[in-house]
Amino acid sequence: MDSIAAIELKNISKSFGSIAANKNISLTVSRGEILSVLGENGSGKTTLMNMISGIYFPDSGEIFIDGKEVHINSPKDAFDYKIGMIHQHFKLVNVFSAAENIVLGLEDKEKFSMKRYSKKIKDISEQYGFDIDPSKKIYEMSVSEKQTVEIIKVLFRGADILILDEPTAVLTPQETVKLFKILRKMRDDGKAIIIITHKLHEVLSISDRVAVLRKGEYIGTVNTAETDEAQLTEMMVGKKVELNISRSEPKSDIERLKVENLSCKNRDDITLLDNVSFSVRAGEIFGIAGIAGSGQRELLEAIAGLQPIAEGKIVYVDPKTNQEEDLRNKTPIQIRDMGVRLAFVPEDRLGMGLVGNMDIIDNMMLRSYQKGNTAFLERKAPKNLADTVVEKLEVVTPSTSTAVRKLSGGNVQKVLVGREISSAPTVLMAAYPVRGLDINSSYMIYNLLNEQKEKGTAVIFVGEDLDVLIELCDRILVIAGGKVSGIVDGRTAKKEEIGLLMTKSSFEEEKEEEANHD
Amino acid sequence: MTKKAYEPLFHISKRNTIVWWKAWTIRAAAILAALIVCGFVTLALTGLNPINVYITMFEGAFGTSRRIWNLLQNVAILLCVSLAVTPAFKMKFWNLGAEGQVLIGGLATEVCMIFLGNKLPTPLLIVVMVAASIVAGAVWGFIPAFFKANWETNESLFTLMMNYVAIQIVSYFTFIWSVPKGSGTPRVLEFGRLPVIGGQKYMLNIIVVAVLTIAMFIYLKYTKQGYEIAVVGGSPNTARYVGIDVKKIILRTMLISGAICGIAGLLLVAGTDHSLKSSTAGGRGFTAIMVSWLAKFDPIFMVFTSFLIVFLEKGASKISEVYRLNDSFSDIITGIIIFFIIGSEFFINYKLKLSKNSNKEAAK
């Protein structure tokens, strides 16, 4: 049994249109082993795993399970082969309880009995050390609890080959440690585990072997014990990349934007932001860290005039006159008419920052189309801007009249950032600007932010990768549950410290932590 | 594993781009395939020679100069309604209420023709009629837009329901104003008929719609308002983010959409039928949806799609007439052809590839 791989891929290829997502990839995973599949975004990791779990079907190549060739046509086939995948974006029904989600779609010969199912869930939880209340509804759960439900769901169906797609992306460092403990337990129990990630230190701490993909190609597999970060990076990106982000000393301490006791509520009167205060200086990069959905989006939107404010002030200090102006409850157009040069790179690029069906030129004029006194559009200036952005930021596109939805994630982001910085902003807000981007594009974005900082712009950077935040930002505000849980110096802060601040205000999770320590 | 799993027969993948001649070859092939299938259906159902049937169809549409003018008139009205729904569709506001908006525009026209007919000089009367039909259509379009903008009601259901309201109102007044009274025969309107140009009754309609087509093309492509419509349709969040007042755009666009429907009502009542009944719009409010979609919301391209639809309708009804078949047969023919045309878009957007292994398996 040990000599035969639990799952073996031979020369798997898959392309979408003219883009080859996977080229001749071969992998093996044995039982009782954790294999990391490492690669940048867009290197084909998820596509490969989707072929194992029955979502896609390979164009060519073979899949063997326990030495026998199989065709996996649907997720149901995958379940029959005891393959379970935990997707990056959870696929759960919000209004159902954990137990209901776990048994959903189960084809069981026996009589439906929630009691029996609950017992089985309890057994699985005890076996691997999960901490879950089967009757809790999904919408009441934290992200890490939802992930637990997803994992139990596949174990419940008897999966012994587990695939986890970027499981740590949404977790705090503490939660990650907990998850890894569980994964090791499952490995020792004889399960084959594949974990997709692009975080090097996690690869080194969890896996037995590492398979590296680059641009859809299989680069090689190494034993974790015999490798290090430098070698893996080189395999992943092809050439040696300087991991350091340059960070200059801020030149001034003039305050450009001051947020004072800001509170926001949504339609249902639920507090989104609670008494948030901070100030951003001209010529600094001000980081914002927090678990996804802690109020980062609402904060930026409140400043941009897109989120109604319940209480508090947003004060902008005009660089020329030094006069203070309150931006509270002004519309984006009013803010612009006041002469405030506020640029905003929102999290949802195609859903908020750009119009996917429009070409690059038309997207360039989103901010400026109203210029001129006629009823007609003026496309010459936007065309020039589009040409400049494409050339300077190395946007890969057939032409400037290509719809932006057809561009890759990195190029979409370059178009958006290019437009936003073209107005010579005094305040630049960027939410997760490198999400989904490859390393080279990410560094280009970091450099652009640094450039703006040098020019004296007050830059607000909402990030998720704590390593990057610590290397890029001058100061970092940590937000938890809509409250500021701390502001730390980017040069001296430790990742663990930020991680603790990120979970500070959520009382329940704290309790959970304590329960685990006992 | 007792279960046996096979590789799927086809691979479907999205095309990145397609050269224009390839796209047109696919479309032409689709029409050809449609004609062949129709031929077999005709043969199987009626035993008639399909070639003769197609010739009859062509004659039905172009046989005489009267038929040609009739065809052009129908194209003009259908195109007019299609132009009306297009800005709303580009905004992703599904205006299914063109039928009602046309009828209300026609009703406003009729009111002017009946009650002001012998009181105002004709040129002034026509100006009043134009204004009344535009306002009436615009109001009928504005109501669902107002509710959508303020309370996010479902515009498809709302506009659809407004059709029934309009149809009932028109039926009511048709009965009241019928001549002789109470007979139900719609009154023939004498005053305020639109002028005949160049001896052709329908010339004015055609000119008005031609001007509207070009105006709509320019409006959507080259004006700031057209751009705003595209942004709101593409992503309402992006519109808000750049400070576009989404509410205002929805209201303004539906005023325009309804107003053009009102004009279509005017052209039907004062320029074509000289009477009004609840079936005056004749389902064009719904056919226009297809015309607009088939043309991918491009007003110039809509000239061709509306022409195609009217041609099929006229030709098919001629078949029924000549061969004494009932109307359902012409509907079958029209349905098959449109199905193939719409279906061909799939092959333009996606490509199919036979699996390499499937041949092998078939050979076994």
Side-chain angles (χ1 to χ4, degrees):
Chain A
M1 191 73 192
D2 279 329
S3 57
I4 300 170
I7 184 160
E8 180 174 11
L9 308 182
K10 267 190 191 162
N11 302 322
I12 296 282
S13 296
K14 173 84 188 170
S15 36
F16 297 102
S18 58
I19 298 151
N22 284 159
K23 283 175 263 180
N24 283 327
I25 294 181
S26 303
L27 282 182
T28 55
V29 193
S30 311
R31 295 193 190 280
E33 176 185 57
I34 298 179
L35 174 82
S36 289
V37 177
L38 179 69
E40 291 184 60
N41 287 301
S43 59
K45 299 169 297 203
T46 303
T47 306
L48 185 66
M49 293 307 129
N50 280 340
M51 282 190 278
I52 304 177
S53 57
I55 292 172
Y56 296 143
F57 193 85
D59 291 342
S60 65
E62 289 123 33
I63 300 175
F64 297 89
I65 288 176
D66 295 330
K68 270 200 297 190
E69 185 174 2
V70 295
H71 292 295
I72 306 169
N73 278 333
S74 68
K76 202 183 155 298
D77 284 356
F79 274 134
D80 291 345
Y81 293 119
K82 305 199 170 197
I83 299 168
M85 177 150 177
I86 292 98
H87 294 272
Q88 192 174 1
H89 304 285
F90 304 138
K91 299 175 190 311
L92 298 167
V93 182
N94 258 331
V95 294
F96 280 13
S97 70
E100 283 165 336
N101 266 288
I102 288 166
V103 301
L104 189 69
L106 198 67
E107 278 176 40
D108 194 347
K109 294 281 180 322
E110 286 169 68
K111 206 174 135 227
F112 183 90
S113 150
M114 213 59 199
K115 219 169 154 189
R116 189 162 50 83
Y117 293 142
S118 287
K119 175 152 191 323
K120 195 172 164 193
I121 292 168
K122 282 249 167 69
D123 290 345
I124 293 172
S125 303
E126 268 166 36
Q127 188 183 351
Y128 297 110
F130 292 113
D131 178 25
I132 190 122
D133 170 9
S135 61
K136 198 170 175 183
K137 299 267 193 276
I138 299 298
Y139 63 83
E140 298 171 327
M141 291 187 171
S142 71
V143 185
S144 107
E145 283 177 290
K146 287 181 196 170
Q147 189 179 55
T148 307
V149 175
E150 286 278 18
I151 297 173
I152 296 177
K153 198 163 97 182
V154 299
L155 291 175
F156 191 91
R157 285 161 167 72
D160 52 18
I161 300 169
L162 271 87
I163 305 164
L164 296 101
D165 189 357
E166 303 267 2
T168 61
V170 288
L171 302 182
T172 61
Q174 285 81 2
E175 288 167 336
T176 304
V177 170
K178 218 164 85 186
L179 173 70
F180 283 0
K181 215 152 90 191
I182 290 169
L183 290 181
R184 286 191 194 105
K185 223 175 226 171
M186 291 200 277
R187 172 190 64 191
D188 299 341
D189 198 39
K191 296 200 184 297
I193 297 171
I194 304 176
I195 159 169
I196 303 180
T197 180
H198 60 244
K199 292 181 185 166
L200 290 171
H201 59 275
E202 288 179 357
V203 170
L204 293 169
S205 81
I206 185 78
S207 60
D208 301 306
R209 289 188 305 139
V210 192
V212 183
L213 303 187
R214 186 202 311 154
K215 289 178 182 157
E217 277 175 276
Y218 174 66
I219 303 301
T221 304
V222 288
N223 288 327
T224 312
E226 298 156 11
T227 187
D228 56 21
E229 251 178 72
Q231 189 199 357
L232 288 176
T233 311
E234 205 178 321
M235 286 172 79
M236 194 160 85
V237 298
K239 57 177 190 238
K240 241 182 142 57
V241 173
E242 194 57 48
L243 271 175
N244 293 321
I245 305 167
S246 66
R247 171 165 55 191
S248 57
E249 286 292 324
K251 289 189 191 105
S252 70
D253 54 358
I254 306 164
E255 288 181 334
R256 179 66 63 232
L257 190 76
K258 289 188 277 189
V259 173
E260 293 168 11
N261 308 100
L262 182 73
S263 294
C264 292
K265 285 180 171 161
N266 72 358
R267 276 192 186 178
D268 304 327
D269 215 36
I270 291 167
T271 305
L272 302 170
L273 290 174
D274 189 0
N275 203 14
V276 171
S277 298
F278 63 91
S279 68
V280 189
R281 299 173 192 140
E284 75 164 344
I285 296 185
F286 186 79
I288 296 179
I291 300 166
S294 302
Q296 298 95 321
R297 200 187 73 213
E298 288 79 8
L299 177 57
L300 297 199
E301 289 187 2
I303 296 170
L306 297 165
Q307 167 78 41
I309 292 163
E311 271 169 66
K313 270 164 98 179
I314 295 168
V315 178
Y316 173 77
V317 185
D318 194 288
K320 285 190 193 117
T321 58
N322 268 338
Q323 243 165 22
E324 296 198 346
E325 288 175 286
D326 192 356
L327 303 185
R328 179 182 167 164
N329 288 344
K330 296 267 192 317
T331 66
I333 290 202
Q334 286 169 328
I335 292 173
R336 195 187 319 158
D337 291 346
M338 282 160 71
V340 179
R341 291 206 304 275
L342 179 73
F344 180 20
V345 178
E347 176 183 349
D348 186 359
R349 290 158 209 163
L350 285 175
M352 189 166 184
L354 301 165
V355 181
N357 280 328
M358 287 184 169
D359 64 18
I360 298 178
I361 300 171
D362 278 10
N363 270 294
M364 283 298 158
M365 62 185 187
L366 265 172
R367 290 264 191 208
S368 59
Y369 78 96
Q370 277 172 326
K371 271 185 195 153
N373 291 323
T374 66
F376 293 96
L377 293 166
E378 202 276 300
R379 277 197 172 89
K380 207 177 261 166
K383 166 101 179 72
N384 291 338
L385 177 59
D387 286 336
T388 316
V389 168
V390 166
E391 194 199 314
K392 275 210 179 137
L393 303 192
E394 296 161 12
V395 179
V396 181
T397 174
S399 79
T400 49
S401 43
T402 304
V404 291
R405 93 188 129 78
K406 290 190 174 163
L407 305 182
S408 73
N411 290 309
V412 167
Q413 184 68 318
K414 286 177 192 172
V415 169
L416 176 55
V417 172
R419 184 190 72 209
E420 288 302 303
I421 60 178
S422 71
S423 58
T426 50
V427 178
L428 169 62
M429 302 191 287
Y432 307 108
V434 299
R435 184 181 280 174
L437 270 57
D438 60 42
I439 287 199
N440 285 327
S441 304
S442 298
Y443 274 81
M444 174 170 267
I445 300 291
Y446 299 143
N447 288 338
L448 287 170
L449 294 181
N450 267 325
E451 230 172 69
Q452 290 298 315
K453 169 184 170 181
E454 297 283 319
K455 285 182 184 163
T457 309
V459 180
I460 300 176
F461 170 82
V462 178
E464 49 198 339
D465 189 334
L466 295 183
D467 294 307
V468 170
L469 276 160
I470 287 171
E471 283 201 43
L472 180 71
C473 301
D474 298 296
R475 291 185 300 150
I476 300 164
L477 176 148
V478 187
I479 192 167
K483 283 190 186 140
V484 176
S485 54
I487 297 180
V488 296
D489 190 312
R491 286 173 176 76
T492 55
K494 288 273 165 302
K495 208 160 64 173
E496 289 69 26
E497 178 191 356
I498 297 175
L500 274 175
L501 286 171
M502 277 162 70
T503 50
K504 192 172 159 192
S505 82
S506 52
F507 182 58
E508 277 189 27
E509 277 179 23
E510 225 169 297
K511 267 202 309 197
E512 211 178 275
E513 283 283 332
E514 275 164 30
N516 285 336
H517 287 304
D518 290 344
Chain B
M1 270 312 23
T2 50
K3 204 173 138 283
K4 239 184 152 179
Y6 291 104
E7 217 186 313
L9 196 59
F10 291 109
H11 281 289
I12 302 170
S13 56
K14 209 165 162 64
R15 289 179 199 267
N16 270 346
T17 48
I18 181 163
V19 278
W20 65 269
W21 61 264
K22 248 189 189 164
W24 283 102
T25 313
I26 291 173
R27 289 195 183 103
I31 292 181
L32 195 68
L35 291 179
I36 292 168
V37 171
C38 284
F40 280 112
V41 171
T42 312
L43 204 61
L45 290 181
T46 66
L48 297 166
N49 178 354
I51 306 287
N52 290 341
V53 171
Y54 292 142
I55 291 170
T56 313
M57 206 170 164
F58 201 77
E59 271 176 3
F62 302 111
T64 63
S65 76
R66 200 182 68 83
R67 280 189 203 149
I68 294 177
W69 278 108
N70 190 284
L71 177 91
L72 292 178
Q73 144 70 13
N74 275 285
V75 171
I77 299 290
L78 179 60
L79 180 56
C80 186
V81 184
S82 311
L83 290 172
V85 295
T86 298
F89 283 2
K90 274 208 105 161
M91 194 174 67
K92 296 217 167 80
F93 182 105
W94 307 117
N95 177 15
L96 310 182
E99 191 87 355
Q101 289 149 24
V102 170
L103 278 177
I104 289 296
L107 183 67
T109 311
E110 188 183 31
V111 168
C112 296
M113 289 166 88
I114 291 178
F115 294 102
L116 302 173
N118 44 12
K119 296 188 185 109
L120 293 178
T122 306
L124 185 61
L125 175 61
I126 289 180
V127 171
V128 174
M129 279 156 51
V130 170
S133 65
I134 287 179
V135 169
V139 166
W140 219 248
F142 181 83
I143 296 168
F146 182 78
F147 280 82
K148 166 89 175 183
N150 287 297
W151 298 290
E152 290 183 20
T153 52
N154 180 320
E155 79 276 12
S156 309
L157 281 175
F158 206 127
T159 51
L160 204 57
M161 292 304 141
M162 293 284 284
N163 286 335
Y164 299 109
V165 178
I167 290 170
Q168 295 310 322
I169 292 176
V170 168
S171 301
Y172 176 76
F173 284 109
T174 307
F175 187 75
I176 299 256
W177 294 331
S178 57
V179 180
K181 200 164 182 165
S183 68
T185 315
R187 179 190 293 223
V188 178
L189 304 161
E190 298 296 340
F191 299 99
R193 292 186 176 184
L194 296 184
V196 172
I197 294 175
Q200 287 300 340
K201 191 181 159 196
Y202 301 138
M203 188 59 106
L204 182 73
N205 287 3
I206 293 166
I207 293 172
V208 168
V209 175
V211 171
L212 273 176
T213 307
I214 294 165
M216 184 54 74
F217 177 75
I218 293 172
Y219 178 75
L220 290 176
K221 198 159 182 194
Y222 295 107
T223 68
K224 289 174 184 173
Q225 294 196 0
Y227 180 76
E228 286 171 338
I229 290 173
V231 174
V232 172
S235 160
N237 267 328
T238 306
R240 265 177 226 119
Y241 155 85
V242 294
I244 291 174
D245 185 345
V246 176
K247 238 187 215 183
K248 190 180 105 188
I249 309 297
I250 291 178
L251 295 178
R252 187 182 67 201
T253 308
M254 273 309 287
L255 279 174
I256 293 171
S257 187
I260 299 175
C261 281
I263 293 176
L266 170 90
L267 296 179
L268 276 169
V269 171
T272 314
D273 295 349
H274 307 306
S275 69
L276 176 71
K277 49 182 193 279
S278 57
S279 62
T280 293
R284 291 187 185 89
F286 300 105
T287 316
I289 298 167
M290 190 161 63
V291 170
S292 185
W293 268 94
L294 272 178
K296 300 198 176 100
F297 313 129
D298 181 329
I300 303 296
F301 204 65
M302 271 155 47
V303 175
F304 298 101
T305 50
S306 54
F307 184 86
L308 176 79
I309 303 275
V310 173
F311 166 74
L312 286 175
E313 271 175 10
K314 293 281 159 201
S317 72
K318 187 73 185 167
I319 299 174
S320 312
E321 186 194 314
V322 169
Y323 296 102
R324 308 216 170 167
L325 300 166
N326 66 15
D327 285 343
S328 1
F329 183 72
S330 59
D331 287 344
I332 292 172
I333 299 286
T334 318
I336 291 173
I337 293 176
I338 291 173
F339 177 83
F340 271 80
I341 291 171
I342 296 173
S344 73
E345 294 301 311
F346 173 82
F347 294 96
I348 289 167
N349 290 322
Y350 296 90
K351 64 179 167 202
L352 287 186
K353 212 174 73 188
L354 266 176
S355 304
K356 277 165 225 138
N357 294 346
S358 60
N359 294 337
K360 194 172 68 192
E361 256 157 329
K364 268 183 218 169

